[in-house]
Amino acid sequence: RNNLEVVKLLLSAGADANAQLVLPPLARATEGSALGRALDEYYTVAHVDPGTPEEKRLCLSIVDALLKAGADANMERDVDYVERDVSEIEWAIAHDARRLWPILFRGGATIPTDDDYVRDVLEDYTRHRAHPYLRKIETAGGWKAYEKAHRTKLLATFVPKFTHLVPKELVPLIVEFSFHVGFY
């Protein structure tokens, strides 16, 4: 079996909760290839040969598990028709793989600062790069700052509404488990 099938098998068997223990050696052993193949697989089931919602969720969970296990979110991929390698987030932006963006950002991907080259070689990159979500992250100063600002905004909304039901210190936990902070 290839490594991607092994990861799928582990996740479908419930290894998700134990991904920190099971996946680090696998992620390090196949750093570039496993993450790249998982991203390609997601792109295939999401856009090229549309798969079921379950297949899409599984691909996203594999990408997430590999990143949590230590795969490099800023890894670059070799694109045949491009002179230089492009980062996974550049590739995901160019291919409008919006469901991957927050997963890659949470995994440590950074918004590219030099977009000039990518704009020239990946035709849809510029259009997708202007997406409001990406602009919010950039304006905030990166993923961590955007995630913090998003959490603060959610807490400001919900603390007044929940404090009569639960102690104030529990509201952040409710927000953390109820919302994908930073994902929208």
Side-chain angles (χ1 to χ4, degrees), residues 56-128:
K56 292 174 190 175
R57 278 191 297 277
L58 180 61
C59 287
L60 290 170
S61 65
I62 290 170
V63 170
D64 190 43
L66 287 169
L67 290 168
K68 285 178 180 174
D72 182 10
N74 289 305
M75 171 188 87
E76 294 189 339
R77 64 173 44 227
D78 180 29
V79 180
D80 293 337
Y81 55 90
V82 177
E83 289 178 27
R84 80 156 171 85
D85 294 346
V86 296
S87 69
E88 294 297 351
I89 194 66
E90 288 172 321
W91 181 89
I93 291 169
H95 290 88
D96 198 27
R98 295 178 189 183
R99 299 278 308 262
L100 286 173
W101 297 349
I103 294 169
L104 288 169
F105 285 133
R106 186 177 59 197
T110 56
I111 292 182
T113 55
D114 179 21
D115 290 338
D116 294 338
Y117 179 78
V118 179
R119 282 184 188 126
D120 293 339
V121 296
L122 298 174
E123 54 189 69
D124 290 331
Y125 181 79
T126 302
R127 181 167 48 91
H128 299 308

Side-chain angles (χ1 to χ4, degrees), residues 133-154:
Y133 176 71
L134 297 174
R135 294 292 177 216
K136 286 183 204 175
I137 292 173
E138 193 170 45
T139 301
W143 167 259
K144 293 284 184 199
Y146 175 68
E147 185 181 35
K148 183 178 178 182
H150 190 205
R151 182 180 295 105
T152 301
K153 188 175 180 181
L154 288 169

Side-chain angles (χ1 to χ4, degrees), residues 153-165 168 171:
K153 188 175 180 181
L154 288 169
L155 286 173
T157 301
F158 290 109
V159 165
K161 294 179 178 17
F162 286 126
T163 51
H164 71 285
L165 298 172
K168 186 177 180 177
V171 178

